[in-house]
Amino acid sequence: MIGAGGLVLVVTIVFAVAGPPLGRRLPPAVATRVLVSAAVAVAAATGAVLTIAAFTLIGQIPQIADAGRWSAQVVHDADPVPPVLAVVCGLLVLPAAGRAIVLLVRRLMAFTKVQAACRDHPDAGALIVLDDDRPDAFATPGLRARIVVTTGLIRALDSQQQRAVLAHERSHALHRHAWWILGADLAAAANPLLAPTARTVTHAVERWADEDAAVEVADRRLVARAVGRTALLLRRSTPRPGPAPSAVGGNVPDRVRALLAPAPEPRLRHVALLAVLLLVIAGGSALVSERGRELFAHASVSRQHH
Amino acid sequence: MDSRRTPGSLEQDVLRALAAAGRPLTPAEVRAEVGADLAYTTVMTVLARLHDKGVLTRRRDGRAYAYQIADPTAVTAQRMRQLLDGDDDRAGVLTRFMGELTEEDERLLASLLHRAESEDER
């Protein structure tokens, strides 16, 4: 069990280190899908392994063994995980689960507020224009996504650049980018090693929308100019009250640089590498949970014989 | 410019043009803004549909109607603004066009755009 758990840990670290740079070399739509799926799988695997390890100690508590109808003695004798290690695993997994739950609740509350704000808006596809001097544009999450732009943004850009911004936001809405970001952030909340992966996903999602916008307006440089101009204007305008959404919008110079270069090509090698890592981690955590299941099945059988 | 329209984009483009104008526009004026490649009747249909949904109001202007964005939309916009000024986890659910720049980002971006523009001129 320790061996398989160690394997999961090693692959987690390899993915945490190698995932973001690999993802940045992929086309953003592929990168987002692969990185989020992998991050969620890695977070789930590490969570499961830690829980099972902790449970080899918790399962020795007589009351819990009674409730679960297995023999505390057999679990104790088998002792697949040293007690100190089991305690450490328990201390790691509890706050991790707490962080993920808090994040999920906060996001769902924010989501509900956004939906409530849109409740009287008559049409899903239409545009909401906010009378605000700050140049800003965003898409709301949900099945009936709305696109919001400020008058400040409309005044700052020419009509072609405005179209590029709308195309960018339509891509966010169409591909449900808010949910991909939620997946990555949940994984990072549960496993802080995945924080760089979540940041890479936030950036990839913006790049994805930029690439879609470039296809729709058939001009990469136009999108680059719209992105660059808006960012510079926003920098010069008065900041909005409240905390600045620093992780939002990706790395703007990188976005502009990518748009000034040719469209990225898919690289199978990188996807394949990530897929192999995922397979190893899935195998490792399956092995750990199988050992855990065997242990408690064995302890249950032994109890019936006593 | 050669470009394709995705579903819903024409309605948004029409609304964008009306918002940019800041005054009621006739179908002919809207068409001039969103693209002369569109048929006049297409623009008329979109405006009428948005009016039916309550997104636009209209008044007679000579022989045609002049359209502008309706007040219920402004109510939604007001709520949106309150949402943005709040301090909950809105940044996580709204996919924004742009985040804040650092000073270094600003310098880098300015030089990138400058280089792109000088390349365009060549």
Side-chain angles (χ1 to χ4, degrees):
Chain A
M1 187 185 270
I2 300 260
L7 181 68
V8 170
L9 180 68
V10 167
V11 179
T12 297
I13 293 169
V14 170
F15 174 76
V17 172
L22 280 176
R24 278 193 288 273
R25 283 153 198 242
L26 293 171
V30 180
T32 304
R33 292 181 173 119
V34 172
L35 285 183
V36 173
S37 317
V40 169
V42 166
T46 46
V49 167
L50 291 176
T51 307
I52 291 165
F55 212 75
T56 58
L57 190 63
I58 296 170
Q60 294 177 29
I61 299 170
Q63 287 83 355
I64 290 181
D66 280 346
R69 294 171 182 278
W70 60 70
S71 158
Q73 191 58 45
V74 173
V75 177
H76 178 77
D77 292 344
D79 193 27
V81 179
V84 178
L85 189 58
V87 169
V88 169
C89 289
L91 289 178
L92 283 174
V93 79
L94 274 179
R99 282 192 304 269
I101 290 167
V102 167
L103 177 77
L104 185 64
V105 169
R106 277 168 54 92
R107 285 287 161 89
L108 290 179
M109 276 167 60
F111 174 80
T112 313
K113 274 191 196 166
V114 173
Q115 293 305 104
C118 299
R119 65 183 178 270
D120 295 332
H121 194 253
D123 184 59
L127 187 72
I128 299 172
V129 180
L130 242 176
D131 193 10
D132 193 320
D133 286 338
R134 285 173 61 82
D136 202 352
F138 54 89
T140 68
L143 292 175
R144 296 176 42 169
R146 271 80 163 180
I147 289 170
V148 183
V149 294
T150 62
T151 46
L153 184 103
I154 286 179
R155 273 198 296 273
L157 303 179
D158 67 31
S159 64
Q160 288 306 312
Q161 291 169 347
Q162 291 167 15
R163 287 192 54 211
V165 175
L166 284 192
H168 174 103
E169 293 306 326
R170 264 197 298 279
S171 167
H172 279 324
L174 182 68
H175 298 294
R176 318 236 171 275
H177 286 162
W179 300 102
W180 289 106
I181 292 174
L182 176 63
D185 286 353
L186 275 178
N191 186 339
L193 291 174
L194 299 173
T197 308
R199 281 196 294 276
T200 307
V201 168
T202 309
H203 179 68
V205 156
E206 293 305 323
R207 287 272 309 113
W208 183 349
D210 283 344
E211 288 297 330
D212 280 1
V215 170
E216 191 174 326
V217 300
D219 186 348
R220 300 180 68 78
R221 283 173 172 268
L222 170 62
V223 181
R225 280 197 301 274
V227 169
R229 203 178 151 70
T230 311
L232 290 176
L233 282 166
L234 193 63
R235 170 93 176 137
R236 280 160 212 162
S237 63
T238 48
R240 194 176 281 291
S246 54
V248 170
N251 178 325
V252 178
D254 265 9
R255 284 170 61 187
V256 172
R257 200 180 290 121
L259 283 164
L260 294 173
E265 297 285 331
R267 300 190 197 198
L268 275 179
R269 243 176 340 134
H270 296 133
V271 180
L273 205 58
L274 286 167
V276 170
L277 283 180
L278 264 188
L279 280 178
V280 174
I281 207 156
S285 43
L287 208 60
V288 170
S289 60
E290 179 58 21
R291 291 282 177 278
R293 197 190 60 76
E294 277 171 13
L295 170 67
F296 284 97
H298 172 58
S300 300
V301 173
S302 310
R303 180 191 173 98
Q304 283 156 20
H305 288 300
H306 282 306
Chain B
M1 183 176 295
D2 174 40
S3 61
R4 6 178 267 219
R5 293 194 188 271
T6 54
S9 69
L10 183 53
E11 287 188 356
Q12 284 167 3
D13 215 17
V14 164
L15 287 165
R16 173 192 65 74
L18 286 169
R23 63 180 177 86
L25 294 181
T26 62
E29 289 171 321
V30 171
R31 178 168 170 255
E33 269 299 313
V34 300
D37 54 320
L38 292 166
Y40 181 80
T41 49
T42 308
V43 177
M44 284 263 292
T45 310
V46 171
L47 286 168
R49 202 189 309 143
L50 287 171
H51 174 255
D52 289 346
K53 286 173 180 169
V55 179
L56 298 180
T57 56
R58 67 183 182 192
R59 60 177 174 74
R60 274 246 171 247
D61 181 16
R63 287 195 304 172
Y65 282 109
Y67 291 84
Q68 67 179 349
I69 296 173
D71 278 346
T73 316
V75 174
T76 306
Q78 190 52 40
R79 284 204 203 106
M80 275 292 169
R81 184 214 285 280
Q82 286 165 1
L83 205 69
L84 286 181
D85 291 343
D87 60 353
D88 55 15
D89 206 11
R90 76 218 172 211
V93 295
L94 299 174
T95 32
R96 303 280 279 275
F97 182 57
M98 202 50 68
E100 312 280 338
L101 285 185
T102 64
E103 228 166 277
E104 199 196 329
D105 283 348
E106 187 181 8
R107 275 197 301 275
L108 202 57
L109 191 56
S111 80
L112 273 173
L113 287 177
H114 181 73
R115 206 164 60 208
E117 270 157 29
S118 54
E119 274 171 25
D120 283 349
E121 279 162 18
R122 249 187 281 143

